[in-house]
């Protein structure tokens, strides 16, 4: 059973930093794209950043220059370093991975359960 588990969320003051981690585990043949999305109360889920296995990173304009996405392929882990956090960054952050399970040939998206990030004074 494939699982994505996020960690690292919490409460931080404006201007502070957090580092999110997401580990994919359980019967994975290969992982292509990985990324982070977020959903604030009353808003739709939006893209934060993506990082293909062998391509260029992509960031939402709202986080560009402040957030950095990276991955460790050996550990099936993707990270999101968040600096200069703003109150508008407050949201539940979800990890996403496009992968092929070891038991099949079809690729699909998997999602984590989310981790809360709250930026407040």
């Amino acid at each position: 059973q494939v699982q994505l588990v996020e960690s690292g969320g919490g409460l931080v003051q404006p201007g502070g930093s957090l580092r999110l981690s997401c580990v994919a585990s359980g019967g994975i043949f290969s992982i292509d794209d990985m990324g982070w999305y977020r959903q604030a109360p009353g808003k739709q889920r939006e893209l934060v950043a993506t990082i293909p296995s062998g391509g260029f990173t992509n960031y939402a304009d709202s986080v560009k220059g402040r957030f950095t996405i990276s991955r460790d392929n050996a550990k099936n882990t993707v990270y999101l370093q968040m600096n200069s956090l703003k109150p508008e960054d407050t949201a539940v952050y979800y990890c996403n991975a496009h992968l092929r399970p070891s038991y099949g040939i079809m690729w699909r998206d998997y999602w984590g359960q989310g981790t809360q990030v709250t930026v407040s004074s």
Side-chain angles (χ1 to χ4, degrees):
Q1 57 277 13
V2 176
Q3 288 187 325
L4 273 62
V5 180
E6 303 99 335
S7 62
L11 175 64
V12 65
Q13 293 186 342
S17 298
L18 285 174
R19 184 172 184 259
L20 306 183
S21 300
C22 172
V23 180
S25 63
I28 299 171
F29 180 81
S30 183
I31 303 177
D32 187 13
D33 296 355
M34 301 188 81
W36 290 94
Y37 295 72
R38 67 186 182 186
Q39 187 168 22
K43 296 185 177 181
Q44 296 184 348
R45 187 173 300 186
E46 65 176 350
L47 169 71
V48 177
T50 60
I51 180 169
S53 59
F56 298 112
T57 55
N58 180 53
Y59 298 92
D61 290 340
S62 60
V63 307
K64 202 173 186 65
R66 300 186 297 118
F67 291 10
T68 302
I69 188 170
S70 61
R71 63 191 288 174
D72 185 336
N73 292 329
K75 297 181 178 180
N76 288 338
T77 301
V78 62
Y79 306 94
L80 185 68
Q81 178 66 47
M82 303 183 294
N83 299 326
S84 302
L85 283 162
K86 305 175 180 179
E88 50 263 44
D89 295 319
T90 296
V92 177
Y93 283 70
Y94 296 92
C95 176
N96 171 265
H98 188 246
L99 60 83
R100 176 185 169 182
S102 61
Y103 54 82
I105 62 173
M106 296 179 63
W107 293 74
R108 58 160 286 185
D109 286 329
Y110 286 82
W111 293 89
Q113 294 299 306
T115 184
Q116 178 70 48
V117 172
T118 302
V119 185
S120 176
S121 300

